Amino acid sequence: MMIRVEGLTKTFTAHNEIVTAVDGIDFEVGPGEVVTLLGPSGCGKTTTLRCVAGLERAQGGRITIGDRTVVDVEAGTFVPPHRRNLGMVFQSYAIWPHMTVIENVAYALEGQRMNKAERKRLAMEALETVQLAHLAERPAPRLSGGQQQRVAIARAMVGRPQVLLFDEPLSNLDARLRVEMRSELRRIQRQIGLSSIYVTHDQAEALAMSDWIVVMKDGRIVERGRPLDIYRYPRHVFTAQFLGTTNLIAGTVADVDAASGRLGVTTPLGRIVGIDPSRTLAAGAKVRVSIRPEDLSTQPPLDTGAAPVNAFDGTLTFAIFAGVAVEAELRCGEIKLQCLLNREADLTPGRAITVHAKPDACLVLPEE
Ligand code: ATP
């Protein structure tokens, strides 16, 4: 089921002040896709989701679910939440403590025309999907946090909604369980194949869960992309910083090679050769070069015959063994570079080393 949000605007009035929570945003969710709204606290993610759910009334824009318009501010259309055919999963599970697991799920079907046996059958089916069928008769409070979240998911899907909405569903779980539930949620979502909107401020969760990520800031969309693309080739400094860790080096574009798409940038680290994901930059532009810690290496790239580029000399200020790699900091004059290095190198602090970055890993982004 396709979801389409167009020109959505929502303001709140609080203490005689007007707060623009969502400022004219557009996005789409394709059939069966998970689209994640990602951004810092207050950027308007939850408000957007609540407008789709019908829990908030927008001041502008349209929302369509399938071929049904559920919101059209200009035309005065507003379909109430219970008629939008959505399932919702929130941060708090809102489990009924006096009921068993299966009763909790079946309760979501109250008011639908079907007998008790039918309700129970559907509830059991939903519990099977979230792999809780074996606990169906257990009192709901006697479940772990992760199991309670599964009950909440079963309850959201039991009424056969067309769309699922998730608002930070994993944030009440401890770190380990959160990681486990990520892949579990993804599995469930794939199995039931419902178009979903997922709200989180956790970038790792967004990368793991989504078909598309929509990055938001101050009520607007900064950019959108597939998880790997938006992580590797962000077009904005904001995205590069928000999604993962990165080094940002200020500089000025010196030259652009149209044929290869590579740019030379003058920076305090010397000349950096990189790429411009937005393909909009020209010589003289003020930029930041973004280089992720894992893209810096003590190994020079294999000899390609071309003159070597992007070699940065510095002094190791610290190196911490972190399992798969060594987290290190290199001081190069005024600039500090965070690096994730191979543990085979000699990384004694105080040592002078050189790190290398491939041009494709040096993203030249417009100054914001
Ligand atoms: P968080 O992750 O903290 O929930 P968010 O990105 O989901 O953040 P929203 O909750 O959508 O952000 O809030 C966007 C803006 O709208 C914020 O500035 C917030 O203070 C404001 N806001 C949200 N709800 C209301 C309300 N009911 N009354 C007044 N202002 C509100």
Side-chain angles (χ1 to χ4, degrees):
M1 188 65 57
M2 190 91 177
I3 308 168
R4 190 170 283 132
V5 173
E6 297 163 278
L8 187 73
T9 303
K10 171 74 190 169
T11 57
F12 291 104
T13 311
H15 313 293
N16 294 327
E17 234 183 274
I18 295 173
V19 179
T20 304
V22 179
D23 195 4
I25 66 167
D26 305 284
F27 66 94
E28 280 181 3
V29 185
E33 283 181 347
V34 179
V35 171
T36 295
L37 306 179
L38 174 72
S41 183
C43 71
K45 317 176 287 286
T46 297
T47 304
T48 303
L49 196 75
R50 289 174 59 84
C51 287
V52 175
L55 301 172
E56 300 284 0
R57 276 178 182 258
Q59 274 92 17
R62 276 159 54 91
I63 301 174
T64 40
I65 299 176
D67 50 16
R68 208 154 69 107
T69 301
V70 294
V71 175
D72 185 335
V73 174
E74 224 166 78
T77 308
F78 183 85
V79 175
H82 63 276
R83 306 216 10 239
R84 292 192 188 187
N85 205 5
L86 319 148
M88 283 184 261
V89 185
F90 296 105
Q91 207 177 96
S92 63
Y93 327 125
I95 299 283
W96 298 106
H98 57 287
M99 291 183 189
T100 62
V101 167
I102 192 161
E103 284 165 354
N104 259 281
V105 178
Y107 189 74
L109 298 169
E110 275 305 303
Q112 293 202 11
R113 264 188 228 165
M114 58 178 81
N115 63 34
K116 220 171 161 189
E118 179 66 359
R119 253 180 236 158
K120 200 162 175 184
R121 191 184 64 76
L122 290 175
M124 201 59 188
E125 237 178 68
L127 284 173
E128 270 158 19
T129 306
V130 299
Q131 295 180 343
L132 273 189
H134 60 296
L135 298 179
E137 301 302 335
R138 188 180 280 194
R142 295 213 339 246
L143 293 178
S144 70
Q147 289 167 339
Q148 292 196 14
Q149 190 53 284
R150 284 172 203 248
V151 175
I153 296 164
R155 208 170 38 191
M157 59 189 256
V158 69
R160 310 259 159 120
Q162 294 175 306
V163 164
L164 281 178
L165 305 179
F166 296 92
D167 192 357
E168 306 258 6
L170 306 183
S171 56
N172 276 345
L173 304 176
D174 67 51
R176 197 194 173 104
L177 199 54
R178 207 152 68 206
V179 171
E180 236 177 77
M181 277 303 285
R182 248 186 231 160
S183 42
E184 182 59 7
L185 248 187
R186 190 71 176 128
R187 179 191 68 74
I188 295 168
Q189 194 278 337
R190 285 234 165 91
Q191 188 179 332
I192 56 183
L194 290 179
S195 303
S196 306
I197 304 179
Y198 193 94
V199 162
T200 184
H201 64 272
D202 180 329
Q203 43 101 10
E205 208 170 289
L207 290 169
M209 288 295 307
S210 324
D211 292 302
W212 294 93
I213 295 177
V214 173
V215 178
M216 291 183 68
K217 181 192 176 193
D218 300 335
R220 298 194 175 182
I221 293 175
V222 178
E223 62 185 305
R224 72 201 82 203
R226 298 277 187 188
L228 189 62
D229 285 339
I230 203 166
Y231 181 83
R232 292 210 50 194
Y233 305 111
R235 289 159 183 240
H236 296 265
V237 170
F238 179 80
T239 310
Q241 255 176 326
F242 197 76
L243 270 177
T245 308
T246 199
N247 295 290
L248 290 168
I249 303 134
T252 307
V253 175
D255 49 84
V256 180
D257 178 16
S260 67
R262 289 190 177 175
L263 296 80
V265 182
T266 309
T267 79
L269 288 180
R271 177 180 163 81
I272 298 181
V273 177
I275 54 167
D276 166 15
S278 62
R279 293 198 165 249
T280 56
L281 295 167
K286 294 272 178 245
V287 295
R288 300 267 171 157
V289 182
S290 164
I291 311 177
R292 299 227 182 252
E294 67 267 29
D295 290 325
L296 287 163
S297 165
T298 51
Q299 302 281 326
L302 293 179
D303 190 7
T304 55
V309 294
N310 302 343
F312 312 120
D313 303 324
T315 310
L316 268 178
T317 42
F318 70 77
I320 298 166
F321 175 57
V324 280
V326 178
E327 289 170 7
E329 185 187 88
L330 193 65
R331 179 181 280 284
C332 313
E334 289 295 293
I335 306 262
K336 286 183 198 157
L337 288 178
Q338 310 296 327
C339 317
L340 210 55
L341 299 175
N342 195 313
R343 59 176 185 253
E344 270 125 55
D346 174 6
L347 297 173
T348 315
R351 207 170 161 254
I353 64 164
T354 302
V355 292
H356 307 264
K358 292 181 185 146
D360 280 1
C362 300
L363 304 181
V364 186
L365 307 173
E367 178 84 74
E368 279 169 14

